[in-house]
Amino acid sequence: MAYGYQPDFIGESLHIPMPEIGDQLLLEQTLSRTSLRGNLYSDHLNYTLLMNRDTRQLICSAHNIDQSSNFDKRQNLTDEEKKKFKGSKGWTFDADIGKPFQLGDEYYKDKVYGFGITVENPYDKGHMVMRNNAMWGETLEEMDEAGKATYIYANAALQHKNLNRSEWQAIEMDIVGKLDLDSNGKLCVFSGPIWGPLDRIVHHIDTGDIGRVPSGFFKVICFHMKDPPDDNPLGVLTFAVFQDRNVIAQQKGGRVVKTDQRYQITIMELEALTGLKFDDKIRDRNPLIYQRKTAEREKVTVHHLPENIPIASKDDLILKLTEPRDGVMPLTDRPVAINAAMVRPKPNSKIGEWVTLFNRTEDDLSVEGWTLHDAKGRSVALAGQIAAAGTLRLAGDALAPIRLTDNGGNLILRDAAGQQMDHVSWTERAIKKVARGTAYQFEVGQ
């Protein structure tokens, strides 16, 4: 454990510095106070924050994770120890940053009106340095202290409940928390909001003030690779999850980005979206392709640039620049869409689960050799064809071993060549708004 982010944490002479401010407007918005280290940085146990003065939310968090002194210890706790060491507490303000430069609880809580009506605020305090991943140390007391240190308003951003409790949590728990691609269990992780022209607001009715809602969030994971492709052991994975489907539509080639879907993206695109500038070694080790000349040099066929790869499970990750690409069909061009699913059948049983695929074209279409994949890496092979403007219903043995879980999930459809034809996700909150025995209909893009 250490006070503040440690850039040399992953070892092997791999120095991973915090990103710099690469945009003049962002530089003007960056909070500077004498109470902060170097006038900029707020240090806490295992992590550091850089703040935006105008949004009163962070620009970026940087934290270290030692998996070897984290998960194993907590899994073996007795029930009594679990009650004692929860790593959580009530939210407080960061004194060094200053209360005026942080959004407090009034921007996250529901509004109760005097005539007895409560209006739900759909936004959670989205932990950027997540308690569960921050809880590591040599002793249970150290782990508990580190978890509690994450409960400051400066470490939170306005994150929709659907996103916070599903796709963002999945990145934290299923990818960051269970990363097995590294050689030593040590990670350097950067997280933060993505701002854009389509950001929304939360109106604080008592003061007339507003809180700006980010269009999305990013996470960059740096680690010492277990199986590096060359002499450089640095591994880099970059993710974005969007709260607004239009946030990067039309920015690079007219792509449509789905809401509440996690994507693996390039460092260079992340820099364009955030105004941050990452160290050259991080940018160079990004395994996705941003520019056409890189694809031509590596002789890799890509379907759009810069690459965005929808991630249903860790099996979808691209780890090396030269890895064969499955490709992603632009949503506007896809001939088949995953259009509905019976996630909560009557009775409460997997027996009644089904998924329908919709042929968007005017021609009959063979799906022989196509596959459907879920968030746990399970897949089923398809057969036959879908009539023009018709649907194919997958149920029973035709869907097994795919499971449609009530607490959120993902599906990815691939053609016979492995190209991603469509991808959908759902959250526990969204599913429970649909009556049991009624299908959930997915957004279908354009």
Side-chain angles (χ1 to χ4, degrees):
M1 286 177 58
Y3 202 67
Y5 171 75
Q6 306 298 308
D8 298 312
F9 186 74
I10 61 178
E12 292 289 329
S13 301
L14 292 176
H15 181 78
I16 311 297
M18 286 189 68
E20 299 175 353
I21 303 299
D23 178 85
Q24 182 59 36
L25 177 59
L26 184 61
L27 182 62
E28 294 171 0
Q29 295 174 341
T30 302
L31 178 66
S32 177
R33 300 189 81 201
T34 56
S35 55
L36 300 172
R37 177 172 58 83
N39 293 332
L40 296 175
Y41 302 108
S42 177
D43 293 325
H44 300 270
L45 284 176
N46 301 333
Y47 75 96
T48 293
L49 299 175
L50 179 65
M51 292 295 293
N52 188 312
R53 181 192 66 244
D54 292 356
T55 65
R56 292 169 292 169
Q57 295 167 79
L58 72 168
I59 294 172
C60 180
S61 66
H63 63 290
N64 305 119
I65 300 176
D66 186 348
Q67 295 172 310
S68 64
S69 59
N70 182 341
F71 300 100
D72 289 343
K73 281 188 175 67
R74 298 216 318 270
Q75 288 173 354
N76 296 325
L77 294 182
T78 65
D79 290 341
E80 192 62 33
E81 287 173 328
K82 288 178 181 178
K83 291 179 182 179
K84 184 178 180 181
F85 300 106
K86 292 183 178 180
S88 61
K89 66 168 189 172
W91 289 80
T92 58
F93 288 96
D94 184 319
D96 290 337
I97 289 174
K99 186 175 179 179
F101 304 107
Q102 301 165 72
L103 295 183
D105 194 56
E106 62 271 21
Y107 294 90
Y108 298 96
K109 65 182 180 181
D110 297 340
K111 175 61 181 177
V112 181
Y113 289 90
F115 41 86
I117 294 179
T118 299
V119 177
E120 180 187 34
N121 185 337
Y123 297 103
D124 281 347
K125 302 179 191 75
H127 257 113
M128 293 295 102
V129 177
M130 186 185 183
R131 172 190 69 92
N132 201 59
N133 287 336
M135 288 181 66
W136 60 269
E138 294 302 318
T139 66
L140 290 175
E141 288 78 10
E142 287 184 355
M143 292 165 56
D144 191 58
E145 185 180 1
K148 289 177 178 177
T150 66
Y151 281 81
I152 57 172
Y153 289 111
N155 184 38
L158 287 157
Q159 193 170 63
H160 198 282
K161 293 178 179 180
N162 285 355
L163 191 70
N164 183 40
R165 303 175 192 185
S166 183
E167 299 309 319
W168 185 253
Q169 186 181 75
I171 291 179
E172 295 280 13
M173 302 297 288
D174 297 339
I175 296 178
V176 179
K178 297 179 182 177
L179 193 75
D180 57 2
L181 306 170
D182 59 280
S183 65
N184 58 10
K186 295 185 177 182
L187 313 177
C188 289
V189 182
F190 307 107
S191 303
I194 296 173
W195 306 100
L198 299 174
D199 295 341
R200 287 157 290 179
I201 63 171
V202 170
H203 184 215
H204 186 230
I205 196 168
D206 294 333
T207 64
D209 199 5
I210 62 171
R212 186 173 169 186
V213 179
S215 290
F217 300 90
F218 72 86
K219 191 169 294 291
V220 179
I221 310 168
C222 301
F223 54 96
H224 186 284
M225 293 185 75
K226 184 187 302 181
D227 183 26
D230 49 34
D231 293 335
N232 187 341
L234 177 61
V236 176
L237 295 172
T238 308
F239 301 96
V241 181
F242 296 98
Q243 302 194 116
D244 193 309
R245 74 191 70 180
N246 299 310
V247 67
I248 62 172
Q250 304 304 322
Q251 180 179 331
K252 301 286 184 181
R255 285 163 293 141
V256 178
V257 176
K258 289 188 176 183
T259 307
D260 295 349
Q261 174 69 53
R262 54 189 181 268
Y263 293 84
Q264 185 180 359
I265 68 171
T266 69
I267 286 288
M268 292 182 71
E269 183 168 18
L270 180 59
E271 290 178 333
L273 290 168
T274 61
L276 293 170
K277 184 179 183 299
F278 287 83
D279 188 80
D280 288 345
K281 69 171 71 69
I282 298 176
R283 186 186 302 107
D284 293 343
R285 294 301 284 183
N286 182 85
L288 299 190
I289 297 175
Y290 184 80
Q291 296 174 318
R292 178 64 55 188
K293 63 182 181 181
T294 305
E296 293 171 350
R297 183 185 72 238
E298 301 295 341
K299 297 181 173 57
V300 176
T301 300
V302 294
H303 295 269
H304 60 71
L305 291 172
E307 287 188 294
N308 293 139
I309 307 296
I311 301 297
S313 71
K314 64 180 182 179
D315 295 336
D316 299 313
L317 294 174
I318 300 293
L319 303 175
K320 302 173 184 177
L321 183 65
T322 54
E323 257 183 20
R325 263 56 177 174
D326 291 328
V328 180
M329 173 68 70
L331 298 183
T332 50
D333 298 341
R334 60 193 163 147
V336 176
I338 307 171
N339 69 333
M342 179 60 71
V343 181
R344 302 176 70 221
K346 293 180 180 178
N348 186 8
S349 169
K350 67 177 182 178
I351 296 175
E353 293 178 353
W354 52 258
V355 174
T356 57
L357 309 179
F358 172 55
N359 180 357
R360 302 175 69 213
T361 75
E362 59 186 8
D363 301 311
D364 294 350
L365 182 67
S366 172
V367 292
E368 198 72 35
W370 289 34
T371 52
L372 186 67
H373 304 253
D374 68 12
K376 298 297 184 182
R378 296 170 294 219
S379 64
V380 61
L382 310 185
Q385 66 177 15
I386 310 177
T391 60
L392 174 65
R393 184 172 180 270
L394 303 174
D397 291 341
L399 185 62
I402 296 290
R403 289 297 314 277
L404 308 178
T405 52
D406 292 3
N407 60 349
N410 290 265
L411 292 173
I412 284 183
L413 178 68
R414 299 182 188 272
D415 68 7
Q419 185 176 7
Q420 287 192 18
M421 301 300 289
D422 194 20
H423 53 94
V424 297
S425 64
W426 64 93
T427 65
E428 180 179 14
R429 183 178 178 83
I431 286 296
K432 288 187 176 179
K433 288 184 177 181
V434 178
R436 184 172 294 280
T438 300
Y440 184 82
Q441 187 167 0
F442 301 106
E443 59 173 333
V444 293
Q446 295 179 1

